[in-house]
């Protein structure tokens, strides 16, 4: 098993995050802004989204964690307070406090299919609870889903102890873990 270190994305770790997203096959088109507030979302370029993410990080807003194998950044998980995202589910109760959400995974192509996603999930859950989360919520899909696969698969969350609490649209399951 590959040794991994997991660190939050901050202004100091921005260069690693940027390298991961800008590599071949990286999600430089979205910069993980799909579920975050962004004026002009429909017409925003990848560069606009990159600037917005960098500003969010510079403001000290938690956005997620990266996975490093030595000096190489191999993965990302977006985990942050739910209220830092746009509405993620039609049944979302914004009066609930200290709920963190996991909304995205990215593992660099050469490192896929070796369990890094599950390890990112474990590290994201630990990070959220250490940061004060009362519960962690996620919105994964079934493996045959034609969209939203970047949000992870339901089975990975179920194996970690998440329980389904509803649906967010026709494909995304709402799953929650409480400690």
């Amino acid at each position: 098993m590959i040794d991994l270190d997991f660190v939050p994305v901050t202004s100091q770790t921005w260069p690693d995050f940027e390298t991961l997203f800008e590599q071949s096959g990286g999600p430089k088109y979205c910069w993980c802004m799909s579920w975050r507030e962004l004026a002009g979302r429909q017409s925003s370029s990848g560069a606009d989204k990159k600037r917005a993410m960098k500003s969010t990080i510079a403001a000290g807003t938690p956005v997620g964690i990266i996975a490093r194998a030595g000096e190489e950044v191999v993965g990302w998980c977006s985990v942050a307070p739910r209220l830092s995202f746009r509405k993620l589910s039609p049944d979302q109760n914004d009066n609930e406090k200290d709920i963190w959400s996991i909304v995205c995974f990215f593992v660099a192509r050469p490192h896929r299919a070796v369990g890094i996603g599950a390890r990112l999930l474990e590290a994201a859950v630990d990070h959220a609870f250490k940061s004060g989360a009362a519960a962690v919520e996620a919105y994964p899909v079934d493996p045959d889903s034609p969209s939203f696969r970047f949000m992870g698969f339901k089975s990975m969350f179920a194996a970690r102890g998440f329980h389904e609490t509803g649906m967010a649209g026709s494909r995304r399951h709402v799953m929650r873990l409480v400690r």
Side-chain angles (χ1 to χ4, degrees), residues 5-10 13 36 60-66 76-81 84-85 98-102 119-136 160 162 177 179:
D5 293 310
F6 301 94
V7 295
V9 176
T10 64
T13 59
R36 292 178 170 86
T61 303
V63 296
I65 60 171
I66 53 175
W76 149 259
C77 179
S78 177
V79 56
S84 68
F85 297 103
D98 301 322
I99 308 300
W100 280 52
S101 292
I102 296 173
R119 293 174 66 193
L120 271 164
L121 173 57
E122 186 68 31
V125 166
D126 289 346
H127 174 68
F129 284 125
K130 286 177 185 171
S131 299
V136 180
R160 176 56 183 84
F162 281 72
L177 180 67
R179 268 203 188 147

Side-chain angles (χ1 to χ4, degrees), residues 84-150:
S84 68
F85 297 103
R86 297 183 297 125
K87 196 161 188 96
L88 293 159
S89 165
D91 298 325
Q92 181 173 312
N93 177 355
D94 289 337
N95 291 322
E96 290 182 301
K97 302 295 180 209
D98 301 322
I99 308 300
W100 280 52
S101 292
I102 296 173
V103 301
C104 181
F105 292 88
F106 173 71
V107 175
R109 187 158 288 150
H111 301 283
R112 292 181 186 165
V114 295
I116 290 176
R119 293 174 66 193
L120 271 164
L121 173 57
E122 186 68 31
V125 166
D126 289 346
H127 174 68
F129 284 125
K130 286 177 185 171
S131 299
V136 180
E137 202 168 77
Y139 317 90
V141 297
D142 293 315
D144 61 351
S145 176
S147 58
F148 297 108
R149 295 168 68 90
F150 59 89

